[in-house]
């Protein structure tokens, strides 16, 4: 069984660890975690998931089959410097750092198998929409292992590295957009006298139902919308307001801004 070391112990690292241990895809004895300074978080992960903390001599890094880079982008270069000398030549790198390219990682950690992954925070409940790409040094066997790891936290799509920018904007940041929509849905409902609790449950069920309808894949979103929108009815009145307020333009601007920021972050570390 592969030995995995997480460099970075934040929310995404915990979500992946939770998925791996819950699905019993990797034994906690083979999962090691390290981070820059948050001892309390390391202890939390050790107590919650029975994983191992990387000790000062970094022996776990030397023996790692896979190293998962899960630090914040601003901490990446410093972290690379801290771990580079400990990695063996066969270690595969999996990076969940937004914006930092495979080439940049290779520049700091050497020529080796490297995969980049863009998951989202729904990994915490096993429902991440993850995208992955890799360099030519990742073997077919390793590709299957990486996908196997990612399936512990949700669905996986293999994409070209260039596409990760828009994937970051769409799926990586997507939960935040939906949470924002939920906030406004609840606030609007409260304005008309509905309790926040009732509004939230209605929103959740409505989104789950709509997601399942989309997941069937046999009807386009535009057609599903038309089926709900009766001429002269309440839905039509609501959709007309979305059109008048140019919500479509706001969505385009949202995705454009997020993917542009991903590119800026990437160039920052080249």
């Amino acid at each position: 069984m592969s030995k995995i070391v997480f460099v970075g112990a934040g929310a995404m690292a915990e979500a992946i660890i939770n998925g791996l241990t819950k699905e019993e895809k990797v034994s906690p004895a083979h999962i090691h975690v390290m981070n820059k300074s948050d001892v309390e978080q390391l202890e939390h992960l050790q107590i919650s998931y029975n994983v191992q903390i990387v000790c000062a001599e970094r022996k776990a890094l030397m023996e790692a089959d896979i190293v998962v880079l899960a630090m914040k982008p601003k901490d990446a270069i410093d972290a690379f410097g801290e771990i580079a000398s400990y990695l063996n030549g066969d270690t595969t790198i999996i990076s969940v750092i937004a914006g930092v390219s495979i080439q940049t990682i290779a520049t700091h950690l050497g020529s080796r198998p490297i995969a980049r992954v863009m998951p989202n925070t729904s990994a915490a409940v096993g429902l991440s929409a993850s995208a992955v790409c890799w360099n030519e040094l990742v073997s077919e066997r390793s590709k299957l292992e990486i996908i196997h790891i990612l399936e512990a936290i949700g669905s996986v799509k293999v994409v070209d590295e260039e596409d990760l920018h828009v994937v970051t904007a769409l799926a990586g940041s997507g939960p935040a957009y939906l949470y924002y929509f939920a906030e406004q849905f609840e606030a609007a409902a409260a304005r008309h006298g509905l309790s926040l609790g009732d509004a939230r449950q209605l929103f959740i069920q409505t989104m789950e139902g709509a997601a399942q309808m989309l997941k069937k894949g046999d009807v386009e979103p535009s057609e599903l919308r038309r089926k709900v929108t009766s001429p002269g009815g309440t839905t039509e009145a609501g959709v007309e307001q979305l059109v008048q307020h140019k919500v479509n333009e706001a969505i385009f601007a949202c995705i454009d801004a997020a993917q542009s920021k991903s590119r800026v972050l990437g160039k920052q570390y080249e």
Side-chain angles (χ1 to χ4, degrees), residues 98-101 104 165 260-270:
V100 180
S101 71
T104 298
H165 297 296
S260 294
K261 184 65 173 180
S262 176
R263 295 178 188 277
V264 169
L265 286 172
K267 290 180 180 178
Q268 189 175 321
Y269 301 106
E270 289 179 355

Side-chain angles (χ1 to χ4, degrees), residues 79-102:
F80 295 165
E82 290 179 14
I83 69 173
S85 62
Y86 295 99
L87 300 178
N88 68 66
D90 297 324
T91 301
T92 295
I93 301 294
I94 300 177
S95 171
V96 297
I97 311 170
V100 180
S101 71
I102 288 174

Side-chain angles (χ1 to χ4, degrees), residues 144-161:
L144 292 175
E145 184 173 19
I146 291 167
I147 290 173
H148 183 70
I149 288 170
L150 296 175
E151 285 177 340
I153 59 171
S155 65
V156 189
K157 290 291 183 183
V158 179
V159 300
D160 293 331
E161 185 171 19

Side-chain angles (χ1 to χ4, degrees), residues 4-10 13 32-36 54 61 67-72 79-80 82-83 87 96-97:
I4 303 176
V5 176
F6 285 80
V7 183
H32 292 70
V33 191
M34 61 181 285
N35 68 2
K36 190 174 181 180
V54 174
L61 275 172
V67 168
V68 179
L69 304 176
M71 71 290 292
K72 292 180 175 62
F80 295 165
E82 290 179 14
I83 69 173
L87 300 178
V96 297
I97 311 170

